[in-house]
Amino acid sequence: MREKGSLYMAIFFLLLGVYGIIQSIAFQYWEAVFLPLFFSSGIFIMSIVVIRQELRHRAQTDETPEETARAEAESRGGTRRLLQAIVWSVGFAIAIYLLGFRYAPLLWVFAYLKWRRRGWLKSIILAVAMAGFIYFAFEVALGFRMYRGIFFGEQ
Amino acid sequence: MLDAYGGALSTLVQPINMLVMIIGVLGGLIVGVIPTLGGMTIMAILLPFIFVMPSAETALILLIAVYSVTATGGAVTSILVNIPGTGVNAATLLDGYPMNQRGEGDRAIGAAVMASMAGGVFPVFLALAMIPLIMAIIMAFGQPEMAVLILVGISFLALLGSGSASKGLLCGLLGLLISLVGYHQITGVHRFNFENAFLYDGFALIPVTLGIFGLAELFDLLGKGKATIAQEGSTSSLAGVFRGVKDVWIHRWLWLRSTLIGYVIGIIPGVGASVATWVCYGQAKQTSKYPEKFGTGVVEGVIAPEAANNAKDAGDMLTTMSFGIPGSANGVLMLAAIMMVGIIPGPAMITEELPLALTLLIGIAIANLLAGTLTLFTAPQLAKIATLHIDYLFTGVMVVAMAGVYVASPSPLQFIVAFIFGLLGLAMKRFGYSRPALLLGFVLGGLFETYTTLSIKIYGPIFFTSPISLSLLGILVIMFALPYLRRTLPRLLRRTR
C-alpha cells in the first residue's frame, strides 16, 4: 500500500518536474531561467530514480493475498476517517470565511464535538473556551484585529 | 563581546521575556508528553505568533523554549506509557519502560530528567566558548561560499535524514522550486504563478509550514482512528525520582560522554537528534560492564539517550545561526523563525546580531533548567496529558492553527494554501518523503538564488573555485559517493584478491 502511494507521488513529482522545465525555458532572462530549470531538471531526474527504486522494491516484496486484503481493509477505514477530518477542517475554513473568528470557533468546535458524541457540557465548555481564547489572546492581549467574516461586514 | 553577553542577559531577565519563556517551557513540555504531536507541530503553530509579539527577541525566546524542552517531556511518556513522546525519545523506552514495569518508573524519570537538564545546559557553555572560533571561520565566507553551503546543507539533510536519500533530495529540490514561485526581484519575471495575483509574492512561509507540519500531523492522527494516544501510566514518588537524579551523578562519565557526542552530532547539519540518541545508547551498551542487561531496564540506558537528545540543541542552534544550515527538523523551523523576524542567519547574525544569538543560546540553558525542575516534581501529572481525547486535541489545535494562519498572512485564501500543503505533508509523511528537506529548501531557496546570481555576476559561471567552496563541494561529492562505494568497494577488493 505504502509502495503504491510512494510510486504515485513520485509520478506526480515527475510531472511537476516536466511542467517546471517547460515553464522555465519560456522565461525571458537567464537570471530568471537557470535556477528553475536546474531545480526542475533535478526533480525530474530524482523522480525517475525514486520510481525505479519503488518498482524494484515492489517486485521484491512478496505479500500474500490475505496480507494485501487486510492492508486494503485497514486503509479503507483510515481513508474514511481521514476524509471526515479533511471535510470538517474545510468546513471550519468556510465557517471562518462566513462568520469570522468570533463565531466560527464557537459553532465549529461545538458541532464537531457533538457529532463525535461528546457530552453537552464538555462540548459547550470547550467551544466557549476556544472562542474566548481567540478573542482574548489575539484581539484583547495582542491587539490584532481578527477577520470578522463576510456576514458581519468584512470585505 | 562582553557587551553582547550583557545585552543577552538583560534581554532574558525582562519580565515579559521570562513570562514568555515559562509559557514556552510549559507548552513544550505538554506537547512533548503527547506522542505524535511533537515539537515540529507546536513550533509550526507558534510561528505566526512572531508577528504579534512585542519584539523579535520575545518571539524567538518563546520558540527556543519550546524547541529546547519537548524532548524532556517526551521522556516521561516513553518511561510511563511505553510510547516515545517525541521521535528522539525512542531509545529511552528500551530501558525506561522495563524500569517502570519493575516499579522503578520514578527512578527512571529522575535519571532521564536530570540527564536531559544537565545535558541541555552544559553544551550551551561549549557553544558560547566556540563562538569566537566560529566568527573567525565565517568571516571567510562570501556569497559563493554561502551559495555552496546552502546546497551542501540541503543535501546533508536529505542524505542523512531518516528515510530514503533519493526521496530526501527530491524533496529538497521541490522546496527550492516552490520558493521560486512569484515575482523575480532582479528581472521582474513572474514565475509559476498561473497569472494569479494571489501568488505574485509567492507562497507565504506560515501557511506552508503550518500545512506541512501542523495540519498534516492532525490529519494523520485522526486518520489512525484512536480515541486517545496513550493509556494512563503508573504514578511515581519523589524519593524514587531523586534516586534517579543520584544515578546521573554515579554515572557522570557516561553522562559527559553522551552529552559531548550529542553536542557534536548536533553541530553536523542534517544528522538530527535521533541519530545522537541511538549512537549514545550504543556507546553506553558497548562500554558497560553488563551489556547483556541493556533492554531489561538499566538506568544507563536511560541516561545516555536523554543526555544526548538535549545536548544536540546547542550545537544545532550554533550551526543554524552561524551558517544558516540547521542540524535537525526543529532547527529548520527555528531558522524559518529567525528569517521571519528579518534576520538572515549566517555571518551577519553572528557578527551584527551577536546579542540575539547569545540570547537564544543562553535561553536554551534557562529553558532546560526550568523544564527539568518542573518535570521532576510533576512527571505523573504530565503523563496524564498523553491520555487526552483526540477530539479535544483536534478542535483545540485546529482553531489555534487557523487563527495563526490568518495572523501571519491576513487573507482567507491562505487557508487554502495551508490545506493544500497539509495534504501534501500528510502524503509525504505516509509515503516516506522528507518534510524537513522540503521546508529547508523552501526557506533557503530565495537566499540561494540571491547568492548564486550575485556570485555568477561577480565571479562568472565557475564561481565555486575558492578553497572553501571546493572543500564543501568535495564533502558533498564524498557524501553522494559513500553509499555507492560502500556497496562496490568490497566487491572490487574481492575480485582483485
Side-chain angles (χ1 to χ4, degrees):
Chain A
M1 239 19 230
R2 187 186 152 103
E3 283 80 19
K4 216 188 237 178
S6 177
L7 182 67
Y8 292 150
M9 270 198 92
I11 293 168
F12 170 70
F13 290 145
L14 179 88
L15 295 174
L16 210 66
V18 172
Y19 169 78
I21 292 169
I22 295 167
Q23 285 282 308
S24 310
I25 295 167
F27 297 143
Q28 212 177 348
Y29 303 97
W30 71 266
E31 291 96 331
V33 171
F34 87 102
L35 278 183
L37 187 62
F38 177 62
F39 297 149
S40 303
S41 309
I43 291 170
F44 179 75
I45 294 164
M46 290 315 299
S47 305
I48 292 175
V49 172
V50 174
I51 289 170
R52 195 169 152 260
Q53 281 173 349
E54 292 299 332
L55 289 174
R56 197 185 280 178
H57 191 250
R58 276 182 86 183
Q60 282 167 359
T61 357
D62 41 355
E63 212 174 43
T64 62
E66 292 80 30
E67 280 171 340
T68 314
R70 199 185 319 132
E72 275 176 3
E74 276 173 21
S75 163
R76 269 197 297 275
T79 310
R80 186 177 47 81
R81 285 189 294 269
L82 190 63
L83 278 174
Q84 286 172 349
I86 292 168
V87 167
W88 272 98
S89 307
V90 172
F92 183 43
I94 294 168
I96 294 171
Y97 179 67
L98 298 174
L99 303 169
F101 277 100
R102 288 232 177 131
Y103 303 104
L106 189 78
L107 290 177
W108 181 79
V109 172
F110 177 75
Y112 180 79
L113 291 178
K114 278 316 296 166
W115 177 73
R116 294 285 298 158
R117 296 189 186 145
R118 315 304 307 169
W120 281 92
L121 192 63
K122 278 184 181 172
S123 304
I124 290 170
I125 289 172
L126 196 71
V128 172
M130 284 320 298
F133 170 76
I134 296 297
Y135 177 72
F136 284 105
F138 287 93
E139 301 220 17
V140 178
L142 299 168
F144 190 87
R145 188 188 179 277
M146 295 300 279
Y147 181 72
R148 297 277 190 269
I150 55 166
F151 282 0
F152 296 95
E154 189 87 36
Q155 293 304 304
Chain B
M1 190 78 178
L2 275 176
D3 288 350
Y5 275 103
L9 288 171
S10 68
T11 304
L12 280 164
V13 295
Q14 280 175 23
I16 178 76
N17 292 341
M18 283 311 290
L19 178 70
V20 161
M21 169 75 78
I22 292 166
I23 293 170
V25 166
L26 283 171
L29 281 178
I30 290 169
V31 169
V33 163
I34 302 170
T36 73
L37 208 54
M40 284 193 300
T41 312
I42 186 71
M43 283 180 73
I45 288 166
L46 285 176
L47 274 184
F49 285 79
I50 285 177
F51 295 106
V52 287
M53 286 283 167
S55 68
E57 287 88 357
T58 310
L60 292 177
I61 286 169
L62 175 71
L63 285 166
I64 201 79
V66 175
Y67 165 84
S68 313
V69 307
T70 44
T72 309
V76 174
T77 331
S78 287
I79 293 164
L80 295 184
V81 196
N82 199 26
I83 299 171
T86 64
V88 299
N89 301 110
T92 309
L93 63 80
L94 291 185
D95 283 281
Y97 188 65
M99 281 179 81
N100 182 41
Q101 283 180 312
R102 219 170 42 216
E104 287 186 324
D106 40 14
R107 183 182 167 199
I109 284 174
V113 173
M114 191 60 207
S116 291
M117 181 165 68
V121 175
F122 176 63
V124 169
F125 293 102
L126 294 177
L128 292 175
M130 273 180 75
I131 282 187
L133 176 74
I134 296 272
M135 276 170 111
I137 296 170
I138 57 174
M139 292 311 277
F141 275 67
Q143 276 141 358
E145 288 79 17
M146 286 308 292
V148 175
L149 186 65
I150 289 175
L151 206 59
V152 172
I154 293 170
S155 308
F156 259 57
L157 194 67
L159 291 169
L160 301 176
S162 57
S164 145
S166 34
K167 281 182 180 175
L169 280 173
L170 174 58
C171 295
L173 285 163
L174 190 67
L176 285 164
L177 189 69
I178 294 170
S179 76
L180 301 182
V181 172
Y183 178 78
H184 183 227
Q185 285 184 338
I186 298 171
T187 59
V189 170
H190 293 285
R191 298 184 294 193
F192 308 117
N193 64 3
F194 309 101
E195 301 296 320
N196 187 333
F198 176 69
L199 286 176
Y200 272 14
D201 285 330
F203 290 108
L205 181 62
I206 298 288
V208 172
T209 313
L210 253 172
I212 286 182
F213 289 109
L215 295 185
E217 289 297 333
L218 274 185
F219 292 153
D220 190 50
L221 201 62
L222 283 156
K224 283 176 185 159
K226 288 181 185 172
T228 57
I229 302 165
Q231 300 304 311
E232 205 161 324
S234 64
T235 54
S236 64
S237 77
L238 217 54
V241 169
F242 283 104
R243 201 175 147 213
V245 172
K246 211 172 143 192
D247 280 324
V248 179
W249 175 249
I250 294 167
H251 300 286
R252 56 191 175 277
W253 298 115
L254 171 68
W255 167 82
L256 185 64
R257 270 200 314 275
S258 307
T259 302
L260 290 174
I261 293 171
Y263 175 69
V264 172
I265 291 179
I267 288 177
I268 304 168
V271 183
S274 294
V275 175
T277 55
W278 287 110
V279 168
C280 287
Y281 185 83
Q283 66 87 24
K285 192 174 173 180
Q286 277 172 356
T287 54
S288 170
K289 286 174 191 158
Y290 37 86
E292 71 286 351
K293 286 189 181 168
F294 272 68
T296 61
V298 288
V299 78
E300 294 97 310
V302 173
I303 293 170
E306 282 306 314
N309 65 30
N310 281 41
K312 67 97 196 143
D313 292 340
D316 185 4
M317 273 313 290
L318 190 66
T319 326
T320 304
M321 293 188 297
S322 320
F323 298 101
I325 305 298
S328 64
N330 286 2
V332 178
L333 291 166
M334 274 312 296
L335 177 77
I338 292 169
M339 290 179 75
M340 276 168 57
V341 299
I343 296 165
I344 308 290
M349 181 157 187
I350 292 294
T351 50
E352 291 158 29
E353 301 286 346
L354 187 59
L356 178 65
L358 296 177
T359 303
L360 296 183
L361 283 176
I362 300 169
I364 292 176
I366 297 175
N368 272 293
L369 283 171
L370 283 171
T373 315
L374 204 67
T375 315
L376 282 177
F377 293 99
T378 59
Q381 287 75 27
L382 272 175
K384 284 195 178 113
I385 296 168
T387 61
L388 187 73
H389 199 284
I390 283 186
D391 291 340
Y392 303 129
L393 199 67
F394 172 62
T395 47
V397 174
M398 182 56 94
V399 169
V400 179
M402 287 295 108
V405 168
Y406 185 75
V407 167
S409 323
S411 160
L413 285 174
Q414 295 293 358
F415 297 141
I416 299 170
V417 175
F419 279 120
I420 290 171
F421 279 93
L423 294 177
L424 178 68
L426 175 72
M428 289 176 81
K429 184 182 175 177
R430 292 210 164 168
F431 305 131
Y433 288 83
S434 168
R435 293 178 293 165
L438 184 136
L439 189 65
L440 186 62
F442 179 68
V443 171
L444 293 179
L447 268 183
F448 180 70
E449 181 164 43
T450 309
Y451 288 138
T452 314
T453 311
L454 286 175
S455 301
I456 292 173
K457 288 200 169 190
I458 298 167
Y459 302 98
I462 318 282
F463 61 85
F464 38 82
T465 50
S466 75
I468 295 176
S469 300
L470 287 175
S471 311
L472 288 169
L473 286 172
I475 294 170
L476 192 60
V477 170
I478 293 169
M479 288 298 301
F480 275 104
L482 216 56
Y484 176 74
L485 288 176
R486 213 177 281 157
R487 271 200 313 269
T488 51
L489 264 183
R491 219 180 300 156
L492 281 173
L493 284 172
R494 267 200 303 273
R495 262 186 221 165
T496 49
R497 273 179 209 153

